[in-house]
Amino acid sequence: DNSTDYFEKANKHLKAFDYPASANALRQGLENIVFNFLPENERYTFNKEGVTITKTLDGLLTAFKVILKIKRS
């Protein structure tokens, strides 16, 4: 599948009754939306070796929540 739209992929997998692949594509789509919404300094973290890595979905959502709390104050 050459489609880059995660939500189209999720729909195709759903129609094929491949629920794990559909859920994974939905997760990837959500990660992409949140990642692109966040400022660049909130997208990455450092591992134990000091290497810059992309935050996990949990880390991205946590950063998103912090930004929302700041904007509400």
Side-chain angles (χ1 to χ4, degrees):
D1 188 4
N2 293 331
S3 172
T4 56
D5 185 350
Y6 295 109
F7 301 106
E8 286 178 13
K9 285 182 182 181
N11 195 33
K12 287 178 185 177
H13 289 301
L14 184 63
K15 288 179 181 179
F17 303 102
D18 187 355
Y19 302 121
S22 180
N24 190 48
L26 285 173
R27 177 196 52 79
Q28 289 173 324
L30 177 61
E31 277 182 351
N32 193 30
I33 289 170
V34 176
F35 180 85
N36 288 319
F37 176 81
L38 290 172
E40 193 162 344
N41 64 323
E42 294 292 340
R43 296 176 183 177
Y44 304 98
T45 189
F46 299 99
N47 66 10
K48 293 178 183 178
E49 292 80 32
V51 177
T52 304
I53 57 172
T54 303
K55 288 183 178 178
T56 62
L57 179 58
D58 182 53
L60 294 171
L61 290 174
T62 300
F64 183 66
K65 288 177 191 177
V66 169
I67 289 172
L68 289 178
K69 285 181 184 178
I70 291 170
K71 288 187 178 186
R72 286 185 183 176
S73 299

